[in-house]
């Protein structure tokens, strides 16, 4: 067997190696990581990825994600 049909890709999430299934979309990945997609911001391969593109963003081998939890609250 050659490498065809690989079902896992290796990515970096906040600097740590992580594996996920091929063809995983970004919202699915966030849920797998235990994060609430409504409460995070995502930098995808060095670019802030706007939420409108999340459903169409498919995780690829070697992707680098920085995921930041948004904390609500005010000053004052």
């Amino acid at each position: 067997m050659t490498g065809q049909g690989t079902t896992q890709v290796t990515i970096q999430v906040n600097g740590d190696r992580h594996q996920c299934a091929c063809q995983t979309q970004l919202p699915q990945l966030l849920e797998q990581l235990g994060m609430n997609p409504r409460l995070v911001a995502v930098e995808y391969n060095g670019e802030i990825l706007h939420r409108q593109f999340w459903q169409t963003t498919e995780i690829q081998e070697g992707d680098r994600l920085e995921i930041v939890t948004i904390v609500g609250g005010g000053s004052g």
Side-chain angles (χ1 to χ4, degrees):
M1 292 246 161
T2 59
Q4 295 181 347
T6 301
T7 58
Q8 297 280 308
V9 294
T10 301
I11 59 173
Q12 277 199 355
V13 178
N14 295 345
D16 295 326
R17 286 172 55 106
H18 181 77
Q19 288 195 319
C20 67
C22 287
Q23 301 177 329
T24 297
Q25 273 136 347
L26 182 56
Q28 295 170 312
L29 176 66
L30 294 173
E31 289 177 13
Q32 288 171 20
L33 294 170
M35 298 180 177
N36 182 338
R38 299 180 67 162
L39 300 177
V40 298
V42 177
E43 182 181 286
Y44 182 74
N45 293 329
E47 302 276 333
I48 296 294
L49 187 63
H50 293 283
R51 197 172 299 269
Q52 68 200 45
F53 300 116
W54 289 11
Q55 288 292 341
T56 56
T57 299
E58 192 172 285
I59 304 302
Q60 305 288 324
E61 177 70 31
D63 280 349
R64 296 180 331 275
L65 286 85
E66 293 292 328
I67 303 171
V68 179
T69 301
I70 300 167
V71 178
S75 60

